[in-house]
Amino acid sequence: MRLSMFKNRVFQINIVLVLILISCGNKTNHETVKNDLILEEVQNNSTTVTQTEIIVGANRINTYLPLLEGKHIGLVANQTSVIFNSDNELHTHLVDSLIALKVDVKKVFAPEHGFRGTADAGELVKDGTDTKTGIPIVSLYGKNKKPSLEQLTGLDIVIFDIQDVGARFYTYISTLHYVMEACAEAGITVIVLDRPNPNGHYVDGPTLKMEYRSFVGMHPIPVVHGMTIGEYAKMINGEGWLKNKVTCDLKVIEMKHYTHDKTYSLPIKPSPNLPNDQAINLYPSLCFFEGTNVNAGRGTSKQFQIYGSPYLDKDVYTFKYLPSPNQGAKFPKHEGKLCYGEDLSEREQLNTLDLSYLINGYHNSIDKKLFFNDFFIKLAGTELLQKQIENGLSEADIKASWQDELSAFKTMRRLYLIYE
């Protein structure tokens, strides 16, 4: 049975108080905080905690704090980099927590969407300073996707703690690659604080061909890889995917009580256009529309839960909507134009990649020649998928063509799995 991560989680009152004090910026005795934040031991000793609850890597402070003492630390972090307490609505940011614990945090590296997670997809993220802590922020999106040696100078350890969603084209795993590569070249340890994969219960999709390698697909893996960020980091190292086959000094702080078939309900949006569990579940299937003339819900309140276009047959698609600028989509595709499509916000959860929306969209497009754009092949990671759709292959036939490569990937994947 797939279980919810955050149901009935209860910590002792002193943990809640300490975390609230940290989040409010109150000064707390270092040793008291350090002792009170031995969350794993407190949870395991509490009679109200069951063995089915997931403890994320960030919450296992007693495991990784000793590794940080006396070291200069960099963090790769965003709005999802938090430590949870007894209520999923209550949490404190990892940066704030480590500073309260007197950890020497020197620098924060921000991925796509920025440190606070408010930038549009593809929007330039600028360097700056965190207004709350005064810590310098270095953007890893735009021209500077890989930390430079100068940016890493003076650091002993870089902590990577970002919530991923398990799709090849979601760029946080590309940032992970470049961070590991830069740290390997500079002789710096990387610590990954592991988090669940909300799409970790299946593996599906075409495997990327390396001639189509880009920031939305860097490795020869299927669209849905079924791995946590920690497992994926192990694969990057183990398969020699870093430049010149360098090996990163990698430590993964594992979760407790996680398995790949457990539901993970995200309490914090991983990016502006993935607002809820439904969007995250549909994202691997609907993101293909980013490489077409179809809008995937950007500029609405149902991002990646609806899709539509002025160029889809309105006699076939009766659902309609009007994209307009909002947070995460300053300039949405087909802004101000009536789009005809489909509302999937009540659809049952997927356990596979669903190509029916893409195939039907193409075949019901007013002008099929204008349906695909140059970005589609990058998202698919292969030129074959577009050709298969244009040639009228069924979803079953297309998926059959993936199976040998999927089988090979699953065999490789088993070498790096930490969890069942």
Side-chain angles (χ1 to χ4, degrees):
M1 179 180 295
R2 302 176 69 213
L3 302 172
S4 176
M5 176 181 177
F6 293 109
K7 287 182 180 177
N8 302 320
R9 173 177 288 180
V10 179
F11 292 178
Q12 291 185 352
I13 292 177
N14 64 329
I15 300 299
V16 178
L17 291 176
V18 169
L19 289 177
I20 291 175
L21 284 172
I22 292 174
S23 65
C24 293
N26 291 25
K27 292 183 178 179
T28 310
N29 179 270
H30 178 206
E31 292 303 319
T32 301
V33 173
K34 181 176 174 180
N35 291 335
D36 283 349
L37 281 174
I38 302 187
L39 301 176
E40 178 186 353
E41 293 179 4
V42 171
Q43 287 174 310
N44 290 343
N45 289 335
S46 172
T47 58
T48 58
V49 174
T50 71
Q51 290 301 301
T52 60
E53 292 171 355
I54 298 169
I55 302 171
V56 299
N59 270 58
R60 300 190 64 196
I61 294 181
N62 61 318
T63 301
Y64 61 88
L65 188 62
L67 304 175
L68 309 183
E69 292 184 355
K71 305 293 186 181
H72 303 311
I73 308 300
L75 297 178
V76 184
N78 66 4
Q79 76 284 354
T80 66
S81 311
V82 300
I83 296 172
F84 299 107
N85 56 22
S86 60
D87 187 328
N88 62 317
E89 295 298 325
L90 295 174
H91 52 263
T92 181
H93 199 283
L94 181 66
V95 171
D96 301 329
S97 302
L98 293 181
I99 290 173
L101 291 166
K102 309 301 181 187
V103 173
D104 188 11
V105 179
K106 293 291 189 183
K107 194 170 294 183
V108 172
F109 297 93
E112 183 177 9
H113 306 296
F115 178 50
R116 298 298 177 186
T118 56
D120 284 6
E123 183 180 0
L124 177 66
V125 177
K126 298 180 180 179
D127 294 348
T129 302
D130 181 37
T131 56
K132 184 173 182 179
T133 63
I135 294 174
I137 297 175
V138 177
S139 170
L140 295 182
Y141 192 72
K143 292 182 179 180
N144 184 52
K145 293 182 174 67
K146 177 180 174 179
S148 67
L149 182 60
E150 181 182 1
Q151 290 166 340
L152 292 172
T153 297
L155 299 180
D156 301 305
I157 294 172
V158 171
I159 297 174
F160 191 101
D161 182 31
I162 291 177
Q163 177 62 59
D164 188 45
V165 301
R168 185 184 66 216
F169 32 58
Y170 204 58
T171 63
Y172 296 154
I173 59 173
S174 298
T175 296
L176 172 67
H177 171 105
Y178 280 129
V179 168
M180 288 177 61
E181 186 173 277
C183 288
E185 293 167 348
I188 295 171
T189 297
V190 173
I191 297 177
V192 173
L193 305 184
D194 214 1
R195 293 182 180 271
N197 177 356
N199 286 311
H201 54 291
Y202 72 102
V203 176
D204 204 0
T207 297
L208 178 134
K209 308 298 183 186
M210 290 303 286
E211 59 264 37
Y212 298 111
R213 184 178 186 267
S214 72
F215 198 60
V216 292
M218 298 191 66
H219 307 126
I221 64 169
V223 170
V224 184
H225 53 72
M227 305 179 79
T228 69
I229 201 84
E231 291 171 331
Y232 197 79
K234 289 177 60 181
M235 180 179 280
I236 290 174
N237 241 4
E239 293 301 311
W241 286 341
L242 300 178
K243 186 178 179 180
N244 298 322
K245 298 189 181 298
V246 294
T247 301
C248 175
D249 180 20
L250 174 70
K251 293 180 174 61
V252 178
I253 305 301
E254 300 176 8
M255 294 175 282
K256 302 200 78 175
H257 317 313
Y258 171 74
T259 62
H260 283 278
D261 64 350
K262 286 184 178 179
T263 299
Y264 179 40
S265 182
L266 287 141
I268 300 170
K269 291 192 296 185
S271 55
N273 285 293
L274 291 181
N276 54 38
D277 295 342
Q278 186 75 347
I280 290 164
N281 181 252
L282 286 164
Y283 173 74
S285 299
L286 295 191
C287 191
F288 285 118
F289 281 129
E290 301 284 87
T292 72
N293 64 5
V294 176
N295 172 292
R298 294 185 190 271
T300 77
S301 61
K302 292 185 177 181
Q303 305 97 320
F304 290 99
Q305 299 155 83
I306 61 176
Y307 68 90
S309 169
Y311 310 112
L312 292 181
D313 189 340
K314 63 182 178 181
D315 292 328
V316 175
Y317 296 97
T318 57
F319 174 73
K320 55 190 176 183
Y321 65 94
L322 201 69
S324 59
N326 64 2
Q327 183 183 13
K330 293 184 177 71
F331 307 102
K333 188 185 296 182
H334 304 316
E335 178 183 346
K337 297 180 180 179
L338 194 60
C339 292
Y340 299 92
E342 192 172 1
D343 184 349
L344 305 174
S345 58
E346 301 298 325
R347 194 206 188 283
E348 290 183 10
Q349 294 287 290
L350 293 174
N351 297 311
T352 183
L353 200 65
D354 193 332
L355 292 179
S356 65
Y357 315 121
L358 180 66
I359 293 171
N360 291 338
Y362 173 77
H363 289 296
N364 290 288
S365 181
I366 294 172
D367 189 342
K368 293 180 178 61
K369 293 180 181 178
L370 301 177
F371 185 78
F372 291 106
N373 60 46
D374 292 341
F375 191 46
F376 183 82
I377 293 178
K378 286 187 177 181
L379 290 171
T382 170
E383 79 289 346
L384 184 59
L385 179 57
Q386 179 175 335
K387 291 179 180 178
Q388 290 172 323
I389 293 171
E390 290 173 338
N391 290 334
L393 270 69
S394 69
E395 180 173 22
D397 288 339
I398 293 172
K399 286 200 164 192
S401 71
W402 300 342
Q403 295 312 306
D404 288 347
E405 290 182 335
L406 276 181
S407 179
F409 172 77
K410 289 176 182 177
T411 299
M412 179 177 71
R413 172 178 172 267
R414 283 197 292 269
L415 299 174
Y416 304 105
L417 293 183
I418 300 170
Y419 317 98
E420 294 180 7

